[in-house]
């Protein structure tokens, strides 16, 4: 069992909490980089969430 399988198991049933943690990480990274890499950070976040099997969400306007 690989690390991604373990993470998927941890996320299952806790998608809302995982999404909140993912959003918090995205905000922190964007703050630390002065919003210089928001596009790349957003793409990475979407890729990770997809890999973990988290359902897609509609596009949200930047906050």
């Amino acid at each position: 069992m690989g690390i991604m399988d373990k993470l998927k198991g941890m996320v299952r049933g806790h998608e809302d909490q995982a999404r909140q943690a993912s959003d918090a990480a995205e905000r922190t990274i964007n703050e630390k980089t002065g919003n210089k890499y928001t596009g790349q950070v957003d793409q990475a976040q979407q890729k990770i969430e997809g890999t973990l099997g988290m359902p897609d969400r509609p596009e949200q306007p930047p906050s």
Side-chain angles (χ1 to χ4, degrees):
M1 177 181 256
I3 185 124
M4 291 309 292
D5 293 328
K6 289 180 183 180
L7 289 172
K8 285 180 188 179
M10 292 171 69
V11 168
R12 195 172 302 122
H14 302 283
E15 288 85 2
D16 289 339
Q17 290 174 314
R19 176 113 31 229
Q20 288 174 358
S22 176
D23 290 341
E26 181 184 24
R27 280 191 305 276
T28 300
I29 292 167
N30 284 329
E31 287 172 10
K32 297 284 184 181
T33 61
N35 293 318
K36 189 174 180 181
Y37 303 103
T38 56
Q40 292 92 330
V41 172
D42 187 51
Q43 286 178 335
Q45 179 190 29
Q46 290 176 7
K47 178 105 174 148
I48 291 167
E49 288 178 356
T51 301
L52 293 177
M54 297 169 68
D56 289 338
R57 57 181 156 178
E59 281 295 313
Q60 297 175 342
S63 48

